[in-house]
């Protein structure tokens, strides 16, 4: 079956620090990979995505590269802000096999706290 | 606004009651989902509907019954509520991609969530 493993939180950083949140996956097919962000009291928003090996997703200063050889999709940002404080979820979707609409398989989420 | 909307946002009820959560999307998507987020923030797929047909039904008690009257709506009815049903329930939608049989994006758009508290 599919699974996503991401680093446990909370992760606490100072403003302007470099951020890495690790994510590795196991999938039976050739998945698409996503990072979603959940701000306090809100729903999930797609942060970035990648659909094939070596693709780099980027948005709002965040980046993640689809690494098939290491089955990883680590999230990085060069300089974090207080407003980046949220829970970050790594997720995968297996390839559509002509019959179904795949639910996303999520990691357990990483709570990021940025201090001024 | 184009979005996925859910009602109610908060739902507090007694054990044993029956309740429903409604979801609507106006994105023109053909697939809708229900997810459950527990107190530790873990998200798990419950159901998926594609063009009003049930596609995914994970190991969920049969007290939970999704209903899709049309492509834009997927409601969740819960019978005989239990304490363990307390959670945040998220609705989502996506447009299934059929590009040459390759499963591309399946980018899902989420509603704001419904926080269910069973007392």
């Amino acid at each position: 079956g599919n699974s996503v493993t991401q680093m446990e939180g909370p992760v606490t950083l100072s403003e302007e620090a470099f951020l890495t949140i690790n994510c590795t996956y196991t999938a039976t097919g050739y998945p698409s990979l996503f990072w979603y962000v959940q701000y306090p009291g809100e729903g999930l928003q797609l942060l970035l995505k990648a659909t094939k090996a070596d693709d780099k997703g980027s948005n709002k200063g965040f980046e993640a590269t689809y690494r098939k050889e290491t089955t990883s999709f680590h999230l990085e940002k060069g300089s974090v802000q207080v407003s980046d404080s949220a829970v970050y979820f790594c997720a995968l979707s297996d390839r559509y096999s002509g019959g179904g609409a795949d639910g996303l398989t999520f990691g357990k989420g990483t709570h990021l706290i940025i201090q001024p | 606004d184009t979005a996925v909307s859910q009602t109610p946002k908060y739902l507090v009820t007694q054990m044993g009651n029956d309740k429903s959560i409604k979801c609507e999307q106006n994105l023109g998507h053909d697939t809708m989902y229900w997810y459950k987020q527990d107190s530790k923030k873990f998200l798990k797929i419950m159901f998926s509907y594609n063009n009003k047909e049930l596609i995914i039904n994970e190991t969920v008690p049969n007290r939970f019954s999704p209903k899709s009257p049309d492509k834009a709506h997927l409601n969740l009815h819960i019978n005989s509520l239990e304490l363990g049903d307390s959670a945040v329930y998220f609705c989502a939608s996506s447009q299934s991609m059929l590009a040459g049989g390759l499963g591309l994006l399946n980018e899902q758009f989420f509603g704001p969530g419904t926080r269910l508290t069973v007392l």
Side-chain angles (χ1 to χ4, degrees), chain A:
Chain A
N2 298 336
S3 67
V4 175
T5 303
Q6 60 183 105
M7 57 194 298
E8 299 283 337
V11 173
T12 303
L13 295 173
S14 297
E15 208 165 19
E16 299 183 3
F18 185 87
L19 168 70
T20 300
I21 300 178
N22 289 338
C23 171
T24 57
Y25 67 89
T26 303
T28 52
Y30 195 157
S32 296
L33 302 173
F34 307 86
W35 277 100
Y36 279 84
V37 58
Q38 185 177 26
Y39 296 103
E42 297 184 12
L44 280 81
Q45 302 174 26
L46 179 67
L47 182 59
L48 52 83
K49 57 186 181 278
T51 60
K52 61 184 186 298
D54 300 324
D55 264 3
K56 178 186 280 189
S58 61
N59 185 27
K60 299 182 182 179
F62 291 89
E63 293 183 341
T65 301
Y66 190 144
R67 300 287 187 202
K68 191 166 184 292
E69 65 276 12
T70 54
T71 60
S72 65
F73 193 52
H74 304 321
L75 182 68
E76 296 182 335
K77 187 174 184 182
S79 176
V80 292
Q81 306 300 315
V82 172
S83 57
D84 294 326
S85 298
V87 181
Y88 291 80
F89 293 91
C90 186
L92 71 82
S93 173
D94 249 352
R95 290 219 148 182
Y96 183 93
S97 57
D102 296 338
L104 293 172
T105 300
F106 283 92
K108 292 189 175 181
T110 301
H111 187 193
L112 176 65
I113 301 169
I114 307 301
Q115 296 176 333

Side-chain angles (χ1 to χ4, degrees), chain A residues 32 34 36 38 41-44 46 49 51 87 89 93-96 98-104 106-108, chain B residues 9 31 33 35 37 40-43 45 48 55-56 90 96-98 101-108 110-112:
Chain A
S32 296
F34 307 86
Y36 279 84
Q38 185 177 26
E42 297 184 12
L44 280 81
L46 179 67
K49 57 186 181 278
T51 60
V87 181
F89 293 91
S93 173
D94 249 352
R95 290 219 148 182
Y96 183 93
D102 296 338
L104 293 172
F106 283 92
K108 292 189 175 181
Chain B
K9 190 172 172 69
T31 306
Y33 312 80
Y35 289 85
Q37 185 177 44
K40 295 184 178 177
K41 298 285 189 184
F42 186 57
L43 276 151
I45 182 76
S48 160
I55 300 298
I56 294 174
F90 286 100
S96 51
M97 308 284 283
L98 285 174
L102 300 178
L104 298 180
L105 228 38
N106 192 21
E107 177 180 338
Q108 297 186 14
F110 284 78

Side-chain angles (χ1 to χ4, degrees), chain B residues 5-104:
Chain B
S5 59
Q6 296 178 228
T7 54
K9 190 172 172 69
Y10 300 96
L11 183 54
V12 181
T13 188
Q14 299 286 332
M15 248 185 349
N17 285 349
D18 303 339
K19 289 294 178 186
S20 292
I21 306 172
K22 295 186 176 182
C23 178
E24 176 181 3
Q25 56 94 4
N26 60 5
L27 297 164
H29 291 166
D30 61 0
T31 306
M32 296 184 73
Y33 312 80
W34 277 108
Y35 289 85
K36 180 180 179 180
Q37 185 177 44
D38 63 23
S39 58
K40 295 184 178 177
K41 298 285 189 184
F42 186 57
L43 276 151
K44 189 169 168 55
I45 182 76
M46 299 174 69
F47 300 103
S48 160
Y49 267 74
N50 179 262
N51 284 317
K52 302 196 308 174
E53 288 190 24
L54 181 64
I55 300 298
I56 294 174
N57 183 355
E58 292 294 315
T59 307
V60 175
N62 58 15
R63 298 181 294 103
F64 289 79
S65 53
K67 286 190 169 48
S68 182
D70 55 57
K71 277 181 14 176
H73 295 84
L74 181 63
N75 304 324
L76 184 64
H77 188 75
I78 315 170
N79 289 328
S80 303
L81 278 155
E82 299 177 357
L83 293 176
D85 298 333
S86 295
V88 181
Y89 292 84
F90 286 100
C91 178
S93 71
S94 70
Q95 181 60 38
S96 51
M97 308 284 283
L98 285 174
L102 300 178
L104 298 180

